[in-house]
Amino acid sequence: MNAAERYAAALTPGELLEFDLTPFDRTGIPVVGTVWRPEPGSATSGHGVGYGAQVSAARTGAFGELAEQVLLDRHLATLEPVVATHAELRAARGEQGVVDPVTLTLPAGSPYAPDTPLRWLPARRWRTGEEVLLPAEFAAPHAAGIAGGGTGLLTTPITNGMGAGDTLERAVAHGLGELLQRDGDTVSFRALEQGHLVDGVADHPDTRDVWARLVAAGLAPRVFLDSTEFAVVVHAVAADADPATAPMAVTAVGEAAARDAATAVRKALLELASSRARRAFAFGPLEDVRRLCPDYWAAEERCPVPDQEPRALAAMTDWTRRSAAELSALMAPALRVTAHVALGDLPTAPALDPQAELAELLRRLEDFDVLVVATAVDTAAGAVHVAKVVVPGLEVETLSYHRIGERVLRRLLERGSPLVGLGPAGGSRREVRLPAPAVERLGGPAWFDVEAADATVGELYPLYREPSRHAPQRLGGQPSR
């Protein structure tokens, strides 16, 4: 039983579908989709997309991503959140027994206070194994995964930090890698593209094969450097002048983080190909889905469209009505170059086994707490482990949900960004919620301008948050061809 089959075995019972997304684009790089539902026609579902240089890698990724969602949801459904305030729990459990929500990068202007009642779920402090209570919206990948409802949340739950593997160490290392990726690029690309082009990708022995496949497909790929703080974080985009290109494909972005620069670049290029096919599948014409994935679509159209985030739905619906040329013009700033860095000058590192990989990531994050919500399912081929990893201080979703803490604040201050500043909040300039030591380090309070941030993102919001696949089309959008 290979890795994909092991993940699939852990998902039973339920309706499980696998389908090929490769034909939705022309790169030929394998992309596989998966869907699981507890029963046919159920609105509750999990879905995964995997990619790789070979089909086997794409299948492993697709089933692994699916297992992360489904198995964590099952685990969380067995947990009844503790409803209490942080002040009450700190008095009962001690400072180490509960996470201070202010350390979790709250949205600017959050009304949270220590006497705010919250739902809390148990996690483990990885280095010590001790139990610690975590606000449920940070432990769960979505609001539906929180027993007792998702009202009054501090922020929108997200899937970032999830991982799966044949060992818990592999799952946690995968989750940490996701966190480092999103932390490294959170304010360094898309609407805030910094333009640091990585040169030498076409000639490097570890990246030239994927690069050549993209170029042979008529693309002009570019890889940009976002960070080297904890890992090499890069993203890949591509210009595409083919008039037959699916419009959504030109908005694709591939992201990656790894200790080794060439490994990160290779993964970003492969994810770029995946993003092109996935976006064309998820938000392109439904007749293409019916034609290329008939079994999937027959099952999908029996299910109702779930509730949507209004801003994501409206923005993506607008995109589905635009041509490839119009979307390419919208993406043009993502291709700008302001500086060059040679791939050979970036950090290199040998591949490690999962346990050693995790140990090295933990060493790099020695000043950060690492919290894990995990579960495991036994199969005939062995256990499947899944984890949601939370690291207070690593930052995500600044331009989508206005979440910002000290590190991203400093990054923007150093650039002279008009989005942030020191001093009292007021109007659209909302207080950055920081722990007292961070306020002291900064010399006083700080603000984040939410209206300026929203204006900066503008029409690029679908690069940050997407509606459910096919939601714009099924709810009235008319995709361009």
Side-chain angles (χ1 to χ4, degrees):
M1 185 181 290
N2 60 33
E5 291 168 342
R6 182 190 292 200
Y7 289 135
L11 294 168
T12 56
E15 179 187 43
L16 184 60
L17 298 174
E18 175 185 355
F19 41 96
D20 186 12
L21 299 182
T22 313
F24 284 87
D25 193 39
R26 64 181 188 274
T27 67
I29 292 173
V31 185
V32 171
T34 52
V35 169
W36 176 92
R37 293 186 180 88
E39 57 187 18
S42 171
T44 301
S45 68
H47 56 92
V49 174
Y51 58 89
Q54 292 82 35
V55 173
S56 58
R59 295 187 72 241
T60 297
F63 280 101
E65 188 172 88
L66 189 60
E68 291 171 3
Q69 299 174 37
V70 175
L71 301 185
L72 185 62
D73 278 350
R74 286 181 184 173
H75 171 63
L76 293 176
T78 68
L79 304 178
E80 185 66 30
V82 175
V83 179
T85 70
H86 178 256
E88 291 169 340
L89 292 175
R90 182 174 180 177
R93 299 171 61 94
E95 186 174 351
Q96 295 301 306
V98 59
V99 176
D100 183 350
V102 178
T103 67
L104 294 171
T105 313
L106 298 178
S110 170
Y112 166 77
D115 60 355
T116 302
L118 300 174
R119 294 177 177 86
W120 304 79
L121 291 172
R124 293 285 172 186
R125 187 164 277 116
W126 182 260
R127 293 184 177 93
T128 65
E130 64 186 315
E131 183 179 272
V132 56
L133 289 182
L134 182 67
E137 51 268 52
F138 294 92
H142 46 76
I146 303 171
T151 58
L153 301 180
L154 294 173
T155 189
T156 303
I158 57 174
T159 60
N160 192 43
M162 296 177 67
D166 55 348
T167 65
L168 182 56
E169 288 78 9
R170 189 189 297 274
V172 172
H174 182 89
L176 278 177
E178 271 202 3
L179 290 171
L180 293 178
Q181 172 185 303
R182 296 287 289 279
D183 177 83
D185 65 25
T186 187
V187 289
S188 295
F189 76 142
R190 299 170 176 152
L192 291 177
E193 175 60 61
Q194 297 302 290
H196 297 167
L197 184 70
V198 179
D199 294 325
V201 178
D203 302 319
H204 194 284
D206 294 338
T207 58
R208 60 191 175 201
D209 61 328
V210 180
W211 181 274
R213 292 176 75 170
L214 296 175
V215 172
L219 305 182
R222 288 182 176 180
V223 178
F224 293 95
L225 178 67
D226 298 325
S227 176
T228 57
E229 185 177 4
F230 299 116
V232 181
V233 181
V234 297
H235 70 275
V237 292
D240 183 355
D242 189 330
T245 295
M248 280 296 158
V250 305
T251 69
V253 181
E255 308 169 46
R259 294 177 296 103
D260 177 72
T263 300
V265 169
R266 180 181 179 84
K267 182 181 177 184
L269 291 171
L270 288 170
E271 191 177 77
L272 172 64
S274 170
S275 180
R276 286 175 59 88
R278 184 193 64 79
R279 282 179 168 261
F281 157 75
F283 304 112
L286 292 181
E287 53 263 37
D288 291 346
V289 181
R290 295 187 186 99
R291 176 173 54 87
L292 296 172
C293 302
D295 293 340
Y296 160 81
W297 181 248
E300 184 72 15
E301 66 178 346
R302 293 195 299 266
C303 304
V305 177
D307 292 338
Q308 302 295 311
E309 178 188 325
R311 184 182 178 189
L313 177 63
M316 185 61 85
T317 299
D318 174 60
W319 275 23
T320 65
R321 295 167 177 160
R322 300 195 187 198
S323 67
E326 290 171 326
L327 290 175
S328 290
L330 196 63
M331 291 292 292
L335 296 168
R336 74 187 185 101
V337 176
T338 64
H340 294 260
V341 57
L343 178 55
D345 291 339
L346 294 174
T348 61
L352 299 173
D353 64 64
Q355 190 165 350
E357 174 75 12
L358 177 57
E360 174 58 21
L361 293 178
L362 291 170
R363 185 191 67 79
R364 296 182 181 204
L365 293 168
E366 61 183 354
D367 294 330
F368 292 79
D369 208 358
V370 176
L371 312 174
V372 178
V373 179
T375 188
V377 173
D378 289 325
T379 75
V384 170
H385 296 264
V386 299
K388 176 84 184 291
V389 185
V390 178
V391 178
L394 294 187
E395 306 196 35
V396 295
E397 305 298 346
T398 298
L399 291 185
S400 54
Y401 298 144
H402 305 150
R403 291 176 58 185
I404 182 169
E406 181 182 9
R407 294 177 56 258
V408 162
L409 172 65
R410 287 185 179 277
R411 205 179 307 175
L412 293 174
L413 286 171
E414 289 168 2
R415 293 181 198 166
S417 171
L419 300 182
V420 297
L422 299 179
S428 66
R429 295 179 171 184
R430 297 183 184 171
E431 179 190 1
V432 178
R433 300 300 310 272
L434 297 170
V439 175
E440 291 179 10
R441 286 191 291 269
L442 290 163
W447 51 262
F448 177 72
D449 192 328
V450 297
E451 289 184 3
D454 289 347
T456 298
V457 172
E459 296 176 305
L460 296 178
Y461 193 71
L463 292 180
Y464 292 88
R465 305 304 301 173
E466 296 179 0
S468 301
R469 62 195 186 284
H470 319 309
Q473 305 95 303
R474 294 181 67 184
L475 296 175
Q478 300 295 324
S480 298
R481 294 201 65 88

